[in-house]
Every structure is written in structure tokens, then in C-alpha cells.
Amino acid sequence: MTGPIPARPASRLPRPDGELERLRAAWAPPAGWRRISSVNNVFIGKLYIATAFLFLLLGGVLALLMRAQLAAPSQTLIGAPLFQQLFTMHGTVMMFLFAVPMVEAIAVYLLPNMLGARDLPFPRLSAYSFWMYAFGGLAFYATLFWGLAPDSGWFMYPPLSSAAYSPGLNADFWLLGIGFIEISAIAGAIELITGTLMTRAPGMTLGRMPVYAWSMLVVGGMIVLAFPAVIAGTALLEIERAFDWPIFDATRGGDPLLWQHLFWFFGHPEVYIIFLPAAGLVSTMVPALARTSLIGRQAVVAALIAIGVVSFLLWAHHMFTAGLGGLGMSVVSILSVAIAIPGALQVFAWIGTLWRGRLQWTTATLFLIGFLVTFVLGGLTGVMLALLPIDWQVHDSYFVVAHFHYVLIGGMVLPMFAAIYHWLPLWKGRALSERAGRWVFGLVVGGFHLTFFPMHIAGLLGMPRRVHTYAAGLGLEWPNLLSSLGAAVIAAGVLLFVIDVVRSQRGPAREHHDPWTSSTLEWLPSELYGTRSIPQVEHHEPLWHRPELHEEVEAGAHWLPGTISGGRETLLTSPVQARPLRVVVLAKDSLWPFLAAVGTAAFFLLMTVKSVAGTVAGGVLAIVALWAWLWQTDRAPPVEDAEAAAGVLLPMGASGRQSPSYWAVVILIVVEATIFASMAFAHLHVAMRLEVCPPPGVGLADTSTLAMQTLGYALSLAFAAWAGAGAWRAPVPRWRGALMAPAFAMAALAFHDGLRTAWPAERPPTLDAWTGTLAALHGLQGLQLAVAAMLALYYGARLASGLIRPRQHATREAVVLLWAWICLQGVATVWWPRLAP
């Protein structure tokens, strides 16, 4: 930056002629069928929200079928095998295909404008994440129509989900299908974290950042740390099913409880991954509807962070009856009660704000009141279930079903309805009917309590979960009949809501207005490029603090009022203080993310049905599309400095630690490290079950052999780093691309030597769990070596093409970071058998 940063860069000077037209042209969407190539957050966010809501409807249909079967005792409407598929798919769809995607969908649509950014820093990554989720999710749901839907529960506990008890492809569709849907969620989290930290409006310090943005930052971190555990778990279970490596087989040293540890390390934080964004939305809506500031704003933010941290300590909350030991279970029980404290703090802040303000009684307000009542009731039963004696009595009963529906629907779905009624005027400038909305509220909230409150009673009377029928005369008839009637009432409310959405959104878009007089930036006048100019923020309630922002940003009086390069641009700001650092050009619309998603979905789904040709074709398409997509990135900026505001010059382009791509790779490495840690934990877990470790007859590699393998990985990294060294000073000589060959060769030799010395031929991975988990660790490193091969080809080609040079070396930084992790993981893999005992 070559000029001072004014505290308020508003300028009264007239803007150049044609500046607004050039800005609109740069952000104009593609027409016709090429709309699928659009990567703008507004377009992708709308598709994301609509698709996630579609899965809510599809999951609801499955619930209605189950409630029809359970409406009366001894019914034969649905047989046991189909019922097992229905409840497995219902839980899977609601948790994996609706709840988490809806959380990210709303953020993709809402967060950039709330932060004052033009778009998120990786628009193509958002598009890829959406299309992969949509293709994979719809294909996964379609397994119901071919009798291939999973039927072992949405938690897929072994040994029920093992090949011995689930021999068909049903469980494989869950394992592989959910695996890449989780990858989609992680891609979205990387985008949201970097966007929240690096593209906020100037002056929007962390202290001034909206509470909703805080919630998504916490949730992004939780996804990065929690989801890799279930990816590792699904990989291990699929390996056991496909290759008979006894990871969870107790007869050969495995442990079914290992799956529960991995799954619930993801599963319990996921509950809060779903709730925290809803809490952030509530903390944003309540002040607007009450026309007053949020009470205890800093405490609410601290509560969000506390919940995110403590949630990782509670996975054994779901294993109270698994016999893990009294001391550990008592600690988890105490923490399960303690986590209610930050949740209660938020509830009291919302109630106090509503009480202090002048409340607008809208449909959104009604849903917020319904949320508060419902979530508090769910929280009370949660505290009950946190107590060991009560959990032992009602475990696996309908009492638990009632509890988690009160928490998940009360804590996420009701705030989602409130958010749609609150923010839908941004969509096409058209609000939903308040009259119809009150009917929707009455039917949905009333039907919800009619459905799930009787389940508490059914559970206390002894009705177990996951049964397709029950006998008469047990006192279960009336609770189940009421629950089934309530489900029909909810369906009526949702149907009325859908009709009203379709009715209200027909016709051309209008200029949106702010019917609530809100305080946050998303209500500024905006188009596909966001606001005409990026506002300078001086308060955590910028529109209340400075009402003239509406006119100023529309007149182009703030930051970046036009396009400098003719492309799509946004500001990069510092993570803490949000000081303007650089102007960056964002990726344009492209078909490559769409094609990469098609290839990825085809690869996983066709692998499941064991179509070798289709799997290879899908993988090739994904790699080619990804190569073409990335080849268009990391271009030299058109000019060195850009006038980002009146008299303020900022450098154009970004690399190093000021680049979002650098931190995106760092976050990706954290994901990979967590997957490796989960795999290493699996090996340690089965090792601790052995009387003698390592097993008799196993000779561990000597220190000198391990040192040579370590040296091989170190030399590999040295060659990779040398290939692009000095790129920030001068263009890298093209011959250096050849250095990627010895870089890969050294890593491959070290990996091969590690395989040869890890276990003798007479101990195949099918022998026992210790050997199987060790083989899985080496298999993970083998996958990393395949990634290294693609990195070497891509990076070598960039070097040979002269595309690594000053002001164009982000590729070099990303490749070296990833290469360093691949080598470090290789070293950890070969040393782990010596460290684990």
C-alpha cells in the first residue's frame, strides 16, 4: 500500500462515466444453458438453499411413511426390511443432505454481503462444492428405488454394517456416497473460513464482525476438525468390507467400538455445527425485529466459541452404555451438563433483547418464539440424558428420539423458517405473505409438538427405537397415533409454505428493500457484484450507526467503486483489524467446476457398483477438469497498484501469507492431518487391546532403516522446494520443472521401502486388526503419493511454461506446502509402529 488509509474513505467527487456499466458487465451472469457455469455466490447460494430444502422435503416424505406404519400396532403397511431402509435414509438425508448443506448454503448466499465483500475468495470452489453435493445426494437418494438404500442405521454401527451381516451394496453406497459429500462440506468450510477472515469490509474488525459471521467462523473450524474423523472411519469400514482387513472384527483383534469413537467424534460436534449457525442467525434477527442492540454481544460470541470447543470433548456422550469405564463416563457426563451453560447464556441474551426492545410481531418473530420454547425444552431433556442413571434407563428408547428432534428441529429448522421469512426480500425483492405465514407457523410448530412430545411418553413406557411395529396392549397406541397425526399436520404446514414461496417469487425481480430497518450490511442496495462500493465500517451495527451508508455506497463513495482490470475484484483485508491490504481478481464463470463435480460423483458412485471403466472415466474427467480449472488461476495481475479509494493505492494481486490460497492450503493440511491422526488412533486403539504389542513374530524396522526412509522424504521436499526457489525475485528457469521428477522419485522410493519393512509377507493385512490398521496407514500414504504424482506433473508443467515468476508464485507456495505435508506424513507413517506401543 502506497498511501494513507483514511478513517472514512467516502468521497464527494463524481465517479467517471461508464464505471457502473463496466462493473455490471464484469459481473454479468452467463445466459441460457451456460448458467450452470456461473460461480457467483448469489446464484450458487440460491441453488444450494433450494437443493437443501428439497432434501428436507424428501427426508420428510420418508418420515411420513414411517409414521403411517407406526400409527397403529401390528400394522403391515411397510415390512421390516423396507422400514430399516426408510429410517436409515431418513436420518442420513436429514443430517448429511439437509442440515449441514443448508448451513453452508445460507452462508454462501448471505455471508459475503453481510461482510461487505464482493464474493467469497474461491467462487469456483463454492460451485464445485454445490454441484458435487447435488449430484451425489440425488444419486444416493435414488438408491431407494432400486432396493440399494442402506439399512444399518444412519450411524452404520459394525458389526451390523460389516460384510457378514450387510453383504450387499447397500452399506457401500452409504460409506462411499457420504464420504464424498463430507468432502463437499469441507470444501465449503475452507471457503467460508478464508472469506470470513480475509475479505471483510475495511474497518470491520473481529470485534465489529456480525455474530452470524462469528458463528460460521467457529463452525468452519469445527467442520475442518470433526469431519475428517468420519472420513477416516468410513474409509476403514469400506476397506474391511472390500478387502477383509479386520479393522472392526472382534474375532481377529478388531473392535466395533472403534467405529463409535470415530463416528461420534464427528457426530456430536455435528449437532452444534447445525445449531451454532442457527444461533448466529437468531442473534442477527432478534436485534432487527426488536429494534435494539443485542444484549451481551461479546458474551454471546464467547459462548459460540465455548460451545465449539467443548463439543469435541463429548463424543462419548453417545456411548454411556458401551462399558467404557466409570471415571471417563463421569467426566463426559459433567461436560455434557456444562455445555448447557453457554447455550443458556445465549437464550437469556435473546430473551433480554426481545424484552428490552419494541418487538415487531412478524412471522419471523413467531418462529423465533417457537424456537426459544422448543429448544429450551430440548435442552432440558438433554441435561437429563447427560446424567448416567437416566441415560442408562432410556437409552435407545423413543425418549431419545424425542430429545434429538426437539434439539435439531427446534434448534435448526425453526430458525431456518424464521430466517427465510426475514431475508427472503433479498432474494427477488418479494416478501412472503404474513397472513399465510401465521398459518404456516401454527401448523409447523403445533404439529411438531403434537408429533414429538408424545414420543417422550412412549419412550418412558419402554418403546424401543428403530422398530417397525409394536404389540397392542402396552399403552403405546395413543402416543403413536398422536405422533402420526402431528406428522401430517407438519406436512400440511410445509406444503402451505412451499405454495406461498412459489406464489410470491413468481415474476421478475424487484429492487429489494429493508422492511425491518436492520443494522447489518446485507441490506445495503446490491446486485450480483454486491454493493456498488465496499463500505468503510466503524461500528458493529454499521447501518444504525451511519444511516447515510445506503446513499454513499450506491454513489460509489467508498472502496473499490468500479473494476480496475475489467474482471471481478474484491478487497483483501487483514484478519484481525480488517485493514485494506490488496485488491485481488476473483475467478470468472467456468464450466470446469461443474465438470469436475460430475467426474468426482461418477468416480465414487461407479466405484460403489464396481464399474471399473466408469470409475476410471469419472476419475479422468475429474482430474482433467481440475487441471484446467487450476491452470487458469494464479495469473499475474494487470497492474502493480490499483486505486481502491479516492487517493488510496493498494497492491494488486496476492501471494504468500496475504493470499487466501495460502491459508486455504494450510486448512487443507489440517484436514489431512486430522484424517491421518484418526487412522493413527485406530492403530493405537487396536494395539492397546493386545496383551503383547507388537504381536509375537513381528519385527519392527531398525532405527537406521527408518532414518534412511526419513532422509528420502527430506530429499524429496528439498527438490520440490528448489524447483521454484527465488520465484519472488525473478522468473524461475523453465528447466527447473525437471526437478519434480527426482522429488517424486525420492518420495516413491521412501514409500516403497516403508511398505517393504512395515510387515513381512507372512503377515497379510487380513490376519489381524493390528496389521490391518497399519496397512491402512500405509494405504493413506499411498493415496498421498498419488496426489504427489499429480502435483509433480502440474507443477512441473507450470514451471516449464514459465508461469512461476514474481507476482505469480502462489502455485509454488501451495505445492511446496502440500509436498511438505506429504513428506511429513510419510515420515510419521514409517515411525508410527515404533511409537504406538
Side-chain angles (χ1 to χ4, degrees):
M1 189 176 56
T2 58
I5 301 176
R8 183 180 303 158
S11 171
R12 299 181 182 276
L13 298 175
R15 302 307 309 166
D17 292 339
E19 181 181 65
L20 180 58
E21 288 70 22
R22 290 193 296 274
L23 183 64
R24 286 174 173 163
W27 290 82
W33 69 269
R34 294 187 65 86
R35 285 300 297 273
I36 62 173
S37 69
S38 178
V39 299
N40 182 267
N41 75 287
V42 174
F43 177 75
I44 294 298
K46 289 180 178 180
L47 282 180
Y48 225 142
I49 292 171
T51 305
F53 195 85
L54 172 64
F55 281 115
L56 172 65
L57 300 180
L58 294 175
V61 169
L62 303 181
L64 288 174
L65 292 173
M66 289 189 290
R67 287 316 319 169
Q69 165 65 19
L70 293 170
S74 303
Q75 286 211 97
T76 58
L77 179 65
I78 297 174
L82 178 58
F83 191 89
Q84 307 307 315
Q85 292 187 4
L86 292 179
F87 88 74
T88 299
M89 288 294 289
H90 170 71
T92 302
V93 168
M94 290 304 196
M95 296 298 287
F96 292 99
L97 298 181
F98 160 64
V100 174
M102 180 61 85
V103 162
E104 294 193 337
I106 293 174
V108 168
Y109 178 72
L110 197 60
L111 197 57
N113 280 0
M114 190 176 284
L115 297 174
R118 294 271 192 237
D119 202 337
L120 294 168
F122 308 112
R124 292 186 181 181
L125 187 61
S126 293
Y128 172 73
S129 175
F130 164 71
W131 289 114
M132 189 164 65
Y133 151 68
F135 294 145
L138 291 171
F140 176 74
Y141 192 89
T143 58
L144 271 170
F145 305 109
W146 280 273
L148 294 173
D151 53 7
S152 303
W154 75 277
F155 35 78
M156 294 296 287
Y157 283 172
L160 183 60
S161 56
S162 66
Y165 298 99
S166 297
L169 293 175
N170 304 59
D172 298 301
F173 270 108
W174 191 96
L175 293 169
L176 290 173
I178 294 305
F180 83 86
I181 289 171
E182 299 306 311
I183 295 172
S184 168
I186 289 172
I190 292 173
E191 173 84 305
L192 294 172
I193 293 171
T194 54
T196 302
L197 288 177
M198 304 190 73
T199 62
R200 301 194 306 275
M204 186 183 283
T205 64
L206 289 180
R208 296 171 182 169
M209 192 165 70
V211 177
Y212 175 65
W214 267 109
S215 71
M216 290 312 304
L217 183 59
V218 173
V219 163
M222 293 174 70
I223 290 175
V224 164
L225 294 175
F227 280 39
V230 78
I231 292 175
T234 54
L236 290 172
L237 185 51
E238 184 58 30
I239 286 172
E240 178 177 288
R241 289 177 55 84
F243 305 116
D244 194 32
W245 296 5
I247 313 294
F248 306 102
D249 184 356
T251 65
R252 288 180 283 172
D255 187 5
L257 286 183
L258 171 60
W259 168 265
Q260 294 193 35
H261 283 295
L262 293 174
F263 183 84
W264 290 118
F265 187 80
F266 142 81
H268 199 86
E270 188 193 25
V271 173
Y272 298 100
I273 287 170
I274 293 168
F275 164 68
L276 291 184
L281 291 171
V282 172
S283 294
T284 306
M285 287 184 283
V286 163
L289 295 171
R291 301 186 181 93
T292 188
S293 300
L294 179 67
I295 290 177
R297 183 178 183 276
Q298 292 181 334
V300 168
V301 171
L304 291 172
I305 299 171
I307 290 173
V309 172
V310 177
S311 68
F312 282 94
L313 306 176
L314 303 182
W315 78 91
H317 172 90
H318 299 266
M319 303 170 66
F320 280 168
T321 61
L324 297 183
L327 177 61
M329 291 299 92
S330 297
V331 171
V332 173
S333 175
I334 293 170
L335 291 173
S336 299
V337 174
I339 201 171
I341 296 173
L345 188 152
Q346 294 181 85
V347 170
F348 284 119
W350 297 328
I351 293 173
T353 305
L354 293 172
W355 183 272
R356 183 177 69 179
R358 294 174 291 112
L359 195 57
Q360 306 176 68
W361 284 100
T362 67
T363 302
T365 307
L366 294 176
F367 270 106
L368 289 178
I369 300 298
F371 149 73
L372 286 171
V373 173
T374 305
F375 184 72
V376 168
L377 290 174
L380 291 174
T381 57
V383 172
M384 294 170 64
L385 289 171
L387 304 176
L388 291 169
I390 295 178
D391 186 89
W392 289 338
Q393 295 300 316
V394 300
H395 190 81
D396 267 348
S397 76
Y398 258 74
F399 188 93
V400 178
V401 177
H403 158 70
F404 69 67
H405 279 89
Y406 262 78
V407 171
L408 294 178
I409 295 181
M412 188 270 177
V413 177
L414 298 185
M416 179 200 72
F417 275 104
I420 292 174
Y421 276 95
H422 185 78
W423 275 290
L424 199 66
L426 293 176
W427 193 291
K428 293 182 70 174
R430 301 168 182 269
L432 292 172
S433 165
E434 285 292 314
R435 181 178 179 184
R438 283 164 167 75
W439 278 97
V440 172
F441 165 76
L443 291 171
V444 170
V445 176
F448 169 82
H449 289 283
L450 182 60
T451 300
F452 295 104
F453 190 82
M455 289 185 185
H456 294 95
I457 300 171
L460 293 175
L461 290 174
M463 183 170 179
R465 299 166 62 181
R466 304 184 289 275
V467 293
H468 79 289
T469 190
Y470 52 94
L474 300 176
L476 300 175
E477 293 88 342
W478 70 267
N480 277 287
L481 178 60
L482 290 177
S483 293
S484 297
L485 291 174
V489 174
I490 295 174
V494 174
L495 178 61
L496 177 59
F497 171 78
V498 171
I499 292 172
D500 192 31
V501 169
V502 173
R503 176 203 60 80
S504 65
Q505 301 307 301
R506 295 174 62 187
R510 305 171 181 169
E511 183 177 348
H512 77 75
H513 62 289
D514 179 4
W516 327 116
T517 317
S518 304
S519 65
T520 43
L521 296 178
E522 74 274 14
W523 293 103
L524 288 171
S526 64
E527 298 187 29
L528 286 176
Y529 49 77
T531 55
R532 165 70 191 282
S533 57
I534 298 174
Q536 174 77 22
V537 174
E538 300 168 342
H539 195 268
H540 67 270
E541 294 169 334
L543 298 190
W544 287 352
H545 177 259
R546 189 172 173 80
E548 59 268 27
L549 271 180
H550 292 81
E551 292 75 24
E552 290 179 356
V553 298
E554 187 67 4
H558 284 253
W559 297 90
L560 210 61
T563 174
I564 297 152
S565 65
R568 301 177 179 182
E569 300 156 353
T570 195
L571 283 178
L572 290 186
T573 52
S574 61
V576 177
Q577 295 298 321
R579 290 178 58 84
L581 298 175
R582 293 176 177 269
V583 177
V584 291
V585 181
L586 300 173
K588 294 183 178 179
D589 299 321
S590 172
L591 275 173
W592 294 121
F594 177 85
L595 294 175
V598 171
T600 306
F603 176 81
F604 280 97
L605 295 170
L606 294 174
M607 181 193 298
T608 308
V609 298
K610 298 176 173 59
S611 170
V612 177
T615 301
V616 171
V620 170
L621 175 60
I623 292 171
V624 169
L626 186 61
W627 181 300
W629 160 9
L630 293 176
W631 195 263
Q632 298 171 2
T633 63
D634 192 19
R635 296 295 180 180
V639 294
E640 289 196 14
D641 297 308
E643 187 176 19
V648 180
L649 296 179
L650 295 177
M652 194 130 187
S655 59
R657 296 184 181 182
Q658 290 187 351
S659 169
S661 63
Y662 178 93
W663 293 107
V665 172
V666 170
I667 297 169
L668 178 60
I669 290 172
V670 172
V671 171
E672 295 183 346
T674 309
I675 294 174
F676 175 79
S678 301
M679 293 277 200
F681 167 78
H683 181 67
L684 179 63
H685 182 86
V686 299
M688 292 175 66
R689 290 172 53 84
L690 297 174
E691 293 183 5
V692 178
C693 184
V698 174
L700 297 179
D702 58 77
T703 304
S704 61
T705 300
L706 298 179
M708 290 301 296
Q709 295 166 11
T710 302
L711 178 61
Y713 281 117
L715 290 174
S716 173
L717 177 57
F719 277 114
W722 183 21
W728 54 90
R729 295 191 305 268
V732 176
R734 300 190 179 203
W735 63 266
R736 293 246 199 107
L739 292 175
M740 295 309 296
F744 176 75
M746 296 304 299
L749 286 172
F751 171 71
H752 178 266
D753 197 44
L755 280 181
R756 186 176 55 83
T757 59
W759 59 84
E762 63 270 16
R763 292 192 64 86
T766 56
L767 181 64
D768 56 39
W770 188 89
T771 313
T773 51
L774 184 58
L777 266 177
H778 282 270
L780 179 63
Q781 181 60 18
L783 180 61
Q784 291 283 45
L785 197 67
V787 173
M790 290 185 283
L791 285 176
L793 289 172
Y794 177 78
Y795 187 38
R798 296 280 293 195
L799 286 162
S801 301
L803 295 178
I804 307 295
R805 52 192 175 185
R807 306 178 70 241
Q808 192 181 356
H809 48 83
T811 298
R812 189 257 178 189
E813 293 152 0
V815 170
V816 172
L817 278 173
L818 285 171
W819 204 275
W821 166 250
I822 291 170
C823 293
L824 180 59
Q825 179 178 295
V827 172
T829 299
V830 298
W831 280 93
W832 182 249
R834 274 199 170 272
L835 301 175

